[in-house]
Each structure stands twice: as structure tokens, then as C-alpha cells.
Amino acid sequence: MTLYLRHYWKDERLSFSSSTNKSMTFDGRLVKKIWVPDVFFVHSKRSFIHDTTTDNIMLRVFPDGHVLYSLRVTVTAACNMDFSRFPLDSQTCSLELESYAYTDEDLMLYWKSGDESLSTDDRISLSQFLIQKFHTTSRLAFYSSTGWYNRLYINFTLRRHIFFFLLQTYFPATLMVMLSWVSFWIDRRAVPARVSLGITTVLTMSTIITGVNASMPRVSYIKAVDIYLWVSFVFVFLSVLEYAAVNYLSTAQDRRERKMRERARSQSLPCTCSISQTRTMTMMDGTYSEADTNSLAGYTEEPMVPEDEPEEKQKAPEKSEHMVVHLSMSSESAGIKKRKSLRALNIIQNTHAIDKYSRMIFPGSYIFFNLIYWSVYC
């Protein structure tokens, strides 16, 4: 930051008599010939006094010996930041001034007018932060080798602008999660469509996470944006797993139905009856009582011939024709129990139901997560 640093002190050696009581102003050449405070910025990484077109230093001496020493300085200082709530965070940075050689017994530093000693231009703005407030403090700093020193603090409270991160991070992540829900409305038999959609959303979320972390300091704790992005990534990944479960259950259900049809064929009862060439009998699968099944006793295994045939033909053995009749024996109570068991497992076996419930569970859970997230960090 660039600031005007003004020092006030009284040096009686510089007093002079004046009938008009007016001060005298000098440039930086006189500074080297008088005593000035040796103030420096404690956590400064780089600082310099502007020298275009000449040294930006002003010295004003009053008749009673009061001195005003002003200089224009640009300072790049360190600020310890906590990114646990990034980018919904507020940071407090301080600019610290201290005498380099004089201890508190030799030189005492203090703010002339407290917080009113600081004044800023209302047009000043930062690209990422909003300056909420600033205040001044002072305290003693101790060095084991040299002693106690007066230290002045300028504390700034900065709040980060969120709109940039909403556009670059939060909105894309939310759209990717919503895009992954589209697969719930796609037919489960459209394997290429659902798989490609899931993979695309997963890779896009990975790219967003990588881009955010690349522009951030490598800290060892979890940031607020990490929580949002990783929860969004989990939702996208779960949508892919949901289709894997639907596809697996669909295959298992088809296999189960095929085995049930084969078992039904193998458990049917064959009945071979000898009938004549001119007689036919047809029976449909169904539920038969014991009396109905006993009525089949009239059919014998011996060859049967019609009565109106000639006697010669009756005596001549003929090749009898056989007909296979399948009788399906079942009870009404067994059918009811079977239907109840299938109804209990309907949600698991019916893949349409899985997609149907996912259409409600996934959006509801994500909305609930957003309510908790924004209420905690905002």
C-alpha cells in the first residue's frame, strides 16, 4: 500500500523567533542534518520512499520547535490469513511501526488523535477485498537482546468479494450437479447416454477442483470452498453409482425372471394318455380341484378303438397316438404369499422405482446441504 507517513515531535533546538508566527518548510536535504525518528515497518517485505521527480519528503518547522515530518512511502507487508472460510472469509491485517534503535525509555511512540489519525480516500477499492473498518492500537514489543520498544499498529478488517467466486466456482459446480440428475430421466437401457453423461460431469468437477486449488496457497486444512466442491463431487459420483446399481439390478432381475420361467416349465406335471385317432382332448393350464384330476382316471393306458369299427379292425392292433397334457397344480394361498414377497422387494427389483426415488432424494439432499452451508458460512 501507498501512504503518507507523518511524524510530529518537538525539538527546542529548532525553535526560532518569528513576528508572524509562521512555520518554515524545507525539502528532504535538511532531513540529513537534523534528528528524525528512525521508524520502520516491522513485517515489511519491501518498502521505498518515492523519488519522482524528487524525494517525496517534506519538513516543516514551527517557531516553538514543533516539527512535522512527512514522506510518501509504498509498503508491501506480510499478513497472516486464515483460509478456513475461504472465499467467504474476513481477514484482519495489521501494519506495524516501531523504532529501530530507541527503546521505550528513549523514545515513546503514540497516535496523535487515536483512530482519527487515520484517514483514507473514499475512492480506494481493492479487487478482491472490501475495507470494512480500520483502527489503531499501540503496545510494547520485547526483544530479549535489546529490551522493550513502543510499537504502533494499523489494523485493517477486510472482507473478500464473493461475486467473482460465485461466477467462477459455485455456479459451475452447482450446474454440474444438476446436469448429473438428467440421467435419472434417461431410459436405463440407454447405456452409452447415461455413462457418458456421468463421466463428463465427474471429469468437469475434477477440473474445477484442480483450478481452484492451483490458485490458492497450499494450506494443510480444509477450506470452505473445498467442502462445497467435494460434496458436489460426491453427488455427481453417486449419480454414476446409482446407474451402476440400476444396471446391475436390471440384469439380476432379468436373470431371476428367466430362471423362474425355466423352473415353472420343469415343475409342470406330464400326463400321457392313449386315445384313438379320432378323439382329441385339450386342457388349459389353471387351478384344478382334486375331483377334476380324478376324472382323468377314465383314460387307460390300453389302446382304445371306436365301437363302430369292423370287427376285423378291432382285432387288428393299430398304432395309438399319444397326447401330453400339462397340469398346473397350485394353491391360492401360495400365490398370495408370493405376491406379498414380491411387493416387499418391489423397490429393489423395480429399477424404474430407483430412478423415481433418486429424482426426489438427490435434489432434496443437495438443497438441504446448500441451506446448511450458506447459513453457516454467510
Side-chain angles (χ1 to χ4, degrees):
M1 69 175 64
T2 300
L3 52 91
Y4 294 94
L5 183 61
R6 296 186 173 97
H7 307 75
Y8 297 90
W9 74 91
K10 183 177 182 180
D11 190 347
E12 295 180 354
R13 295 173 299 178
L14 300 178
S15 61
F16 60 93
S17 60
S18 174
S19 58
T20 58
N21 198 25
K22 290 184 178 179
S23 61
M24 292 189 298
T25 303
F26 306 93
D27 58 13
R29 292 175 294 179
L30 184 62
V31 174
K32 299 179 181 180
K33 300 179 180 180
I34 65 173
W35 178 90
V36 294
D38 57 344
V39 175
F40 76 103
F41 296 95
V42 178
H43 299 295
S44 173
K45 291 185 175 180
R46 181 174 180 269
S47 60
F48 60 92
I49 299 175
H50 290 261
D51 55 359
T52 306
T53 58
T54 183
D55 292 342
N56 297 169
I57 298 174
M58 185 269 290
L59 184 67
R60 182 173 294 171
V61 182
F62 295 87
D64 58 354
H66 283 86
V67 180
L68 167 60
Y69 174 50
S70 176
L71 62 159
R72 182 167 173 251
V73 185
T74 294
V75 182
T76 303
C79 179
N80 295 325
M81 293 187 177
D82 182 13
F83 293 102
S84 58
R85 300 176 63 91
F86 176 87
L88 307 171
D89 56 337
S90 296
Q91 304 292 342
T92 300
C93 297
S94 61
L95 193 62
E96 304 174 9
L97 297 88
E98 182 181 311
S99 173
Y100 187 81
Y102 300 103
T103 64
D104 62 333
E105 297 178 355
D106 301 324
L107 178 64
M108 179 175 292
L109 298 178
Y110 62 92
W111 295 105
K112 182 179 181 181
S113 302
D115 290 343
E116 296 180 359
S117 301
L118 299 177
S119 60
T120 59
D121 191 349
D122 295 336
R123 295 173 297 177
I124 293 178
S125 62
L126 302 176
S127 59
Q128 293 192 29
F129 293 96
L130 172 66
I131 302 178
Q132 287 186 321
K133 62 180 180 179
F134 52 86
H135 62 279
T136 61
T137 57
S138 61
R139 65 187 68 173
L140 292 176
F142 176 74
Y143 297 92
S144 59
S145 57
T146 55
W148 294 89
Y149 293 83
N150 285 111
R151 182 176 295 182
L152 303 180
Y153 294 84
I154 307 174
N155 300 310
F156 300 91
T157 301
L158 309 175
R159 182 170 182 81
R160 197 182 303 273
H161 294 298
I162 185 60
F163 189 71
F164 171 80
F165 298 95
L166 289 177
L167 292 179
Q168 299 296 325
T169 304
Y170 286 97
F171 284 166
T174 303
L175 291 177
M176 286 300 104
V177 175
M178 297 174 65
L179 182 61
S180 66
W181 299 339
V182 176
S183 63
F184 303 148
W185 277 266
I186 300 178
D187 190 356
R188 68 181 188 277
R189 293 182 294 269
V191 178
R194 297 190 68 165
V195 171
S196 60
L197 179 61
I199 294 176
T200 301
T201 53
V202 169
L203 293 179
T204 305
M205 283 300 305
S206 300
T207 304
I208 294 175
I209 294 174
T210 303
V212 171
N213 292 329
S215 60
M216 285 292 300
R218 290 176 174 82
V219 294
S220 59
Y221 48 84
I222 299 176
K223 303 180 291 294
V225 67
D226 293 336
I227 296 176
Y228 192 90
L229 291 179
W230 279 105
V231 171
S232 300
F233 182 84
V234 169
F235 271 92
V236 171
F237 189 73
L238 287 179
S239 65
V240 178
L241 295 183
E242 186 270 347
Y243 176 64
V246 168
N247 191 25
Y248 173 77
L249 293 177
S250 299
T251 305
Q253 183 180 3
D254 294 341
R255 189 183 302 111
R256 190 183 304 108
E257 292 177 354
R258 185 166 56 254
K259 289 183 179 179
M260 291 177 63
R261 288 194 297 267
E262 294 176 355
R263 189 181 300 109
R265 293 193 190 98
S266 63
Q267 290 180 353
S268 59
L269 300 177
C271 177
T272 304
C273 304
S274 298
I275 61 176
S276 63
Q277 189 175 13
T278 59
R279 293 185 179 183
T280 61
M281 180 179 67
T282 304
M283 301 185 69
M284 302 298 294
D285 291 342
T287 303
Y288 303 92
S289 62
E290 185 176 359
D292 295 334
T293 56
N294 291 336
S295 64
L296 297 175
Y299 293 93
T300 62
E301 296 183 359
E302 309 225 349
M304 299 178 62
V305 296
E307 294 180 356
D308 55 352
E309 293 292 333
E311 186 177 356
E312 293 82 3
K313 291 184 179 181
Q314 292 180 3
K315 294 180 181 179
E318 292 183 0
K319 184 177 180 181
S320 61
E321 294 184 358
H322 297 78
M323 181 179 68
V324 178
V325 181
H326 297 280
L327 301 178
S328 177
M329 305 296 293
S330 62
S331 62
E332 184 177 359
S333 60
I336 294 175
K337 292 180 179 179
K338 185 176 181 180
R339 286 193 297 269
K340 288 183 178 180
S341 62
L342 291 176
R343 190 180 299 111
L345 299 176
N346 184 44
I347 296 179
I348 299 178
Q349 294 180 350
N350 190 359
T351 55
H352 292 288
I354 296 177
D355 282 339
K356 179 181 178 181
Y357 285 107
S358 297
R359 297 169 191 171
M360 298 181 293
I361 294 175
F362 275 75
S365 301
Y366 195 67
I367 292 174
F368 180 71
F369 160 72
N370 275 272
L371 291 176
I372 295 178
Y373 180 88
W374 294 107
S375 62
V376 170
Y377 287 102
C378 286

